[in-house]
Amino acid sequence: MDHEHCSKERSASLDLLLRFQRLLVSKLYPGDCVGQVPNTYSPDLLGVGSLLKKYTALLCTHIGDILPVATSIASTSHRHFAEVSRVVDGDLTGILLPELVVSVVLLLSKNAGLMQEAGAIPLLAGLLEHLDRFNHLAPGKERDDNEDLAWPGIMGSFFTGQSCRNNEEVTLIRKADLENHNKDGGFWTVIGGKVYDIKDFQTQSLTGSSIL
């Protein structure tokens, strides 16, 4: 009954796309296959993987067009954000994308080689920046980030300040500077092109310095 109720709220085309998406995932989900040679896939399976990539590309193109407009409108006020979020939640972004991401992660855990052959994952990664910009407009974002993501060693300004890409006052640290600092007893590390001081976290970590 819940399924029928949800289907009535969605448009027929959106409901059809959701069924098609689930069909693709079900065809790629590994069954109890006996005697298959590892890392070899049937042409039919590769064809479904190629179709998933094409489907993901079209979906990402649509969402990539929608989200910048949604972000622009939502940035006006919290009320605008709430209204835009309601619209986006009923669009492809809110209905198809979350289930697709979960399905792809599930398929990746079951058959990483096949998903690499399909090539759909890099397409989804292209949406991260658009989604991040939109989510950063959510009311209470700074509080949630500080409560949920902050841990000793990460600078508080990382969460509350502007993006390093747009901040002209960001200090540029050379590789030699980092190496010299660590030789003197410091503990700087590079993640994604940014330098973090994890010295404080090192003293509290139970994993030991070698793993860090």
Side-chain angles (χ1 to χ4, degrees), residues 25 33 45 57 59 114-116 143 156 166:
V25 173
C33 182
L45 204 57
L59 181 63
L114 178 59
M115 292 308 296
Q116 289 176 356
R143 182 189 68 251
N166 299 324

Side-chain angles (χ1 to χ4, degrees), residues 21-57:
Q21 176 176 298
R22 290 173 176 173
L23 179 63
L24 287 176
V25 173
S26 68
K27 293 294 184 182
L28 290 172
Y29 191 82
D32 298 328
C33 182
V34 179
Q36 182 177 355
V37 180
N39 298 326
T40 61
Y41 310 106
S42 67
D44 290 343
L45 204 57
L46 292 174
V48 176
S50 177
L51 195 56
L52 176 65
K53 180 180 180 180
K54 181 66 174 178
Y55 169 81
T56 304

